Amino acid sequence: MKAAILVEQKQPLIIDKVELPTELKVGQVLVKIDVSGICGSQIGEINGVKGKDKYLPHLMGHEGCGTIIETGPGVKFLKKNDLVVLHWRKGEGIESEVPKYKWKGKALNAGWVTTFNSFAVVSENRCTVIPKDTDKELAALFGCAITTGFGVIENNVNLQLGQSLVVFGAGGIGLNIIQAASLRNAYPIIAVDIFDNRLELARDLGADLIINAKKNNNIKKEILKILEKGELDIFIDNTGNPKIIELGYEITKPTGKVALVGVPIKGQNVNIFSLPLHFGKTIFGSHGGESNPTTDISRYLRLIKKKNIQIDKLITGRFELEEINEAIEFMKSGQSAGRIMIYT
């Protein structure tokens, strides 16, 4: 099969032929990948945000859509020809062992799901069946961008009607956090980013006010000026920047919530005055919005039918697998306001 391989951190991916395993193990399925989204997590993997990668070389990608070609022993929730969303959060079914690919005659590592490849051996619990008439490109976004964004609002911060919210970082996940907050009738929803195109898209998807962090010398003052009585209920950070996390902690009200979706680079610490934590303020990390793909994807698909979720606007770039390095640079540069899709 054709695949994009991370061979060395902070270097372009290598596009090459990879040998599939000769047989499927218990709980594994073979999927023909049609389309995949690029998440900021993959940029972090390439850049070594979490430190040295001990699994190099390895395959990548964790949100996509494809068709089941074959099922291994023990699989009961999936069958041949099912259209599925591929996701990194665990759903129902077996968690298999990770697949064993070969590249240039040597072992090539991979996780329970990868999507930057034309075929993938995937664990049963990383696939969720969807109706066969679902748009594959849009379905891929349910692998991470939508389920994480909506999960942050539903599960992590439990946003209440009329609560105020700042979303710092309006990329693929941030835009879906804004969409979900709008469905929950938060007010005001304030989007902060460094790219005007992302901010305009954030406004289209439900943000009441937008702030360009590059063009504003005092973000704290600007946010507090917007808020009634200067109180902020919820601050969600998608950047992983310690200074931004500290800002969010400072400006939320005494019983406010600070949710961390972005992850700081290893070694970068966040400094906070902990006393407010004893009196009702909370700060916590999100793990994919604590979403459950098995139950959540079907719920969110119903919202599309009702036209409550704007999916088409989220996709602002399309590339072939051979162009994935260009796609990554396009994303990093900010030229793409929303999600970039990769066709395999």
Side-chain angles (χ1 to χ4, degrees):
M1 68 174 184
K2 183 172 56 180
I5 308 161
L6 179 60
V7 178
E8 186 178 351
Q9 290 177 312
K10 299 181 181 179
Q11 295 297 319
L13 303 181
I14 302 296
I15 313 300
D16 205 352
K17 293 290 182 68
V18 169
E19 189 177 333
L20 284 157
T22 55
E23 64 178 3
L24 295 176
K25 303 296 186 182
V26 172
Q28 292 180 340
V29 296
L30 177 64
V31 183
K32 168 67 179 72
I33 308 292
D34 292 301
V35 61
S36 172
I38 301 179
C39 178
S41 294
Q42 278 90 58
I43 307 299
E45 277 185 82
I46 295 168
N47 291 339
V49 167
K50 296 181 181 179
K52 186 177 180 180
D53 191 335
K54 62 182 179 180
Y55 296 106
L56 294 176
H58 63 75
L59 300 180
M60 299 183 72
H62 68 210
E63 71 171 16
C65 182
T67 302
I68 302 290
I69 302 298
E70 185 182 347
T71 61
V75 173
K76 67 177 183 177
F77 295 107
L78 307 170
K79 64 182 186 301
K80 186 177 180 180
N81 296 324
D82 278 345
L83 184 66
V84 294
V85 174
L86 295 101
H87 43 77
W88 64 274
R89 291 280 299 172
K90 294 180 183 180
E92 66 182 357
I94 297 170
E95 178 158 307
S96 69
E97 62 181 75
V98 295
K100 296 177 174 61
Y101 298 95
K102 284 188 178 180
W103 178 49
K104 296 183 176 179
K106 295 182 180 180
L108 177 65
N109 291 316
W112 291 278
V113 59
T114 59
T115 60
F116 295 171
N117 25 274
S118 54
F119 290 85
V121 174
V122 183
S123 180
E124 181 185 21
N125 66 352
R126 263 57 172 202
C127 297
T128 295
V129 179
I130 56 175
K132 290 187 177 180
D133 61 352
T134 307
D135 185 301
K136 294 178 181 179
E137 186 177 66
L138 304 183
L141 297 175
F142 287 90
C144 178
I146 293 173
T147 45
T148 297
F150 278 57
V152 169
I153 292 299
E154 285 197 302
N155 306 321
N156 293 142
V157 302
N158 189 24
L159 183 72
Q160 304 296 299
L161 293 170
Q163 284 190 312
S164 54
L165 171 73
V166 168
V167 180
F168 211 115
I173 289 173
L175 291 168
N176 282 294
I177 290 172
I178 289 165
Q179 277 211 88
S182 180
L183 286 173
R184 285 263 178 127
N185 288 309
Y187 185 81
I189 301 171
I190 304 168
V192 188
D193 204 283
I194 60 173
F195 298 110
D196 286 332
N197 58 347
R198 287 184 182 172
L199 290 168
E200 290 302 324
L201 182 51
R203 197 199 296 273
D204 287 346
L205 295 174
D208 299 296
L209 297 144
I210 57 176
I211 301 173
N212 187 311
K214 265 189 176 178
K215 298 177 182 178
N216 194 296
N217 294 325
N218 194 330
I219 298 171
K220 175 184 174 182
K221 182 179 179 181
E222 186 68 19
I223 291 172
L224 294 179
K225 185 173 72 174
I226 292 168
L227 297 167
E228 292 181 19
K229 300 179 182 179
E231 288 200 336
L232 176 64
D233 293 306
I234 297 167
F235 186 98
I236 300 174
D237 174 65
N238 298 304
T239 70
N241 184 320
K243 295 300 180 186
I244 293 171
I245 295 169
E246 291 164 10
L247 169 68
Y249 184 80
E250 181 184 353
I251 65 175
T252 46
K253 68 183 187 180
T255 56
K257 299 176 183 178
V258 180
L260 311 181
V261 181
V263 179
I265 295 172
K266 187 175 182 180
Q268 291 186 354
N269 296 320
V270 177
N271 295 306
I272 61 172
F273 178 51
S274 64
L275 182 63
L277 298 175
H278 298 270
F279 296 95
K281 184 172 285 197
T282 55
I283 181 169
F284 50 87
S286 171
H287 191 246
E290 275 56 48
S291 63
N292 181 339
T294 301
T295 57
D296 294 348
I297 289 174
S298 60
R299 288 195 297 118
Y300 300 152
L301 280 170
R302 289 199 291 271
L303 292 178
I304 291 179
K305 287 186 177 181
K306 197 179 176 184
K307 299 185 178 178
N308 279 0
I309 302 179
Q310 299 183 64
I311 299 290
D312 293 341
K313 290 183 179 180
L314 288 171
I315 299 171
T316 53
R318 295 173 175 86
F319 291 81
E320 297 296 323
L321 182 60
E322 292 85 354
E323 305 170 309
I324 194 166
N325 290 308
E326 297 170 44
I328 289 168
E329 291 305 314
F330 190 62
M331 179 176 173
K332 288 164 64 177
S333 70
Q335 294 179 71
S336 176
R339 215 46 152 194
I340 292 177
M341 310 308 292
I342 301 297
Y343 281 85
T344 56

